[in-house]
Amino acid sequence: MTGTILSILMLAGLLLTGGGLYVMIKLRDRKRGALMIVAGLVMFGNVAITAIPGPDLPGLEQR
């Protein structure tokens, strides 16, 4: 289930970033385009944080 959610987040990030570039270049709306690009980058950051394995916590496994 986690893989599906991460895949959807990646697709949404790609669409937001591409849409932001389109809005900035074609429609000349820099403010909305920049906000869309930032939202896409935040989604990429969330996927990166979730996908990177963290340290094992032995204290939590014993409880």
Side-chain angles (χ1 to χ4, degrees), residues 3-63:
T4 304
I5 294 172
L6 292 177
S7 298
I8 291 170
L9 277 174
M10 286 296 292
L11 289 173
L14 282 172
L15 290 174
L16 274 171
T17 305
L21 288 173
Y22 174 79
V23 168
M24 286 181 79
I25 294 170
K26 294 287 186 180
L27 302 181
R28 306 267 190 226
D29 192 356
R30 294 179 65 191
K31 189 178 197 179
R32 287 188 183 143
L35 287 173
M36 289 174 72
I37 291 172
V38 168
L41 293 176
V42 166
M43 286 192 181
F44 290 141
N46 287 337
V47 170
I49 289 171
T50 306
I52 295 173
D56 292 332
L57 300 173
L60 295 176
E61 293 175 359
Q62 294 174 355
R63 292 182 186 171

